[in-house]
Amino acid sequence: MVAFKDQGHQVIGLDATPAFVNMAQQVSGCEVWQQSFLSLKLPPKSFDGIFANASLIHIPRASMVRVLKDLKRSLVTNGAIVMSMIRGDHEGYSVRPTGYRYVVGWEYQSLAPCVEQAGFEIFDYYYRPPGLPCEQQSWLVIVALNRVQY
């Protein structure tokens, strides 16, 4: 958020956890809304872009198209979404140092149809970190555009 704000963009953050909302507000000085991707209440046609860096990894596969449609409705025509996703075909709870977290891994071949079904046009995709063989790049990034409004 801070990087976008420092570049002159008006930024609104989103998180489902109250403590993270408060922390993001304090660190960034930006407006941060407490909402879950699974029950979004975003204003329609209001955002030029959505940067979802490792946040949509917590959406169950069965809900991904619906969540992407909700996000698409909040974008202006030609607005963009950038989503960075963990690679893999796994879905479920994983043990982290901070506790259990629900995580879903995606490959381009499985995620691209969801993005397109939601009405986005895929502009580009790539893997990261750069400079490694593809099988060692643990993140998939998809850049998609909202070409048509509902």
Side-chain angles (χ1 to χ4, degrees), residues 57-123:
I57 65 173
H58 306 295
I59 304 302
R61 286 185 191 280
S63 300
M64 183 57 79
V65 171
R66 179 180 58 82
V67 169
L68 289 172
K69 283 181 178 182
D70 288 345
L71 291 170
K72 182 182 181 297
R73 277 189 281 279
S74 74
L75 286 171
V76 299
T77 300
N78 294 321
I81 184 169
V82 177
M83 58 180 79
S84 183
M85 309 294 281
I86 292 175
R87 288 185 66 196
D89 289 320
H90 56 279
E91 178 171 10
Y93 288 90
S94 64
V95 179
R96 311 292 283 214
T98 56
Y100 290 94
R101 295 190 70 181
Y102 187 83
V103 177
V104 179
W106 294 88
E107 292 296 339
Y108 180 77
Q109 297 77 7
S110 58
L111 185 55
C114 295
V115 174
E116 291 169 341
Q117 188 178 347
F120 284 102
E121 178 184 316
I122 296 176
F123 176 76

Side-chain angles (χ1 to χ4, degrees), residues 14-82:
L14 183 75
D15 202 287
T17 307
F20 290 159
V21 168
N22 291 333
M23 181 174 42
Q25 287 171 330
Q26 290 173 5
V27 169
S28 69
C30 295
E31 187 174 355
V32 182
W33 298 345
Q34 183 184 344
Q35 291 189 34
S36 164
F37 282 123
L38 297 175
S39 57
L40 287 171
K41 293 177 180 63
L42 298 174
K45 301 179 186 180
S46 298
F47 301 103
D48 295 318
I50 295 170
F51 183 64
N53 186 33
S55 55
L56 294 172
I57 65 173
H58 306 295
I59 304 302
R61 286 185 191 280
S63 300
M64 183 57 79
V65 171
R66 179 180 58 82
V67 169
L68 289 172
K69 283 181 178 182
D70 288 345
L71 291 170
K72 182 182 181 297
R73 277 189 281 279
S74 74
L75 286 171
V76 299
T77 300
N78 294 321
I81 184 169
V82 177

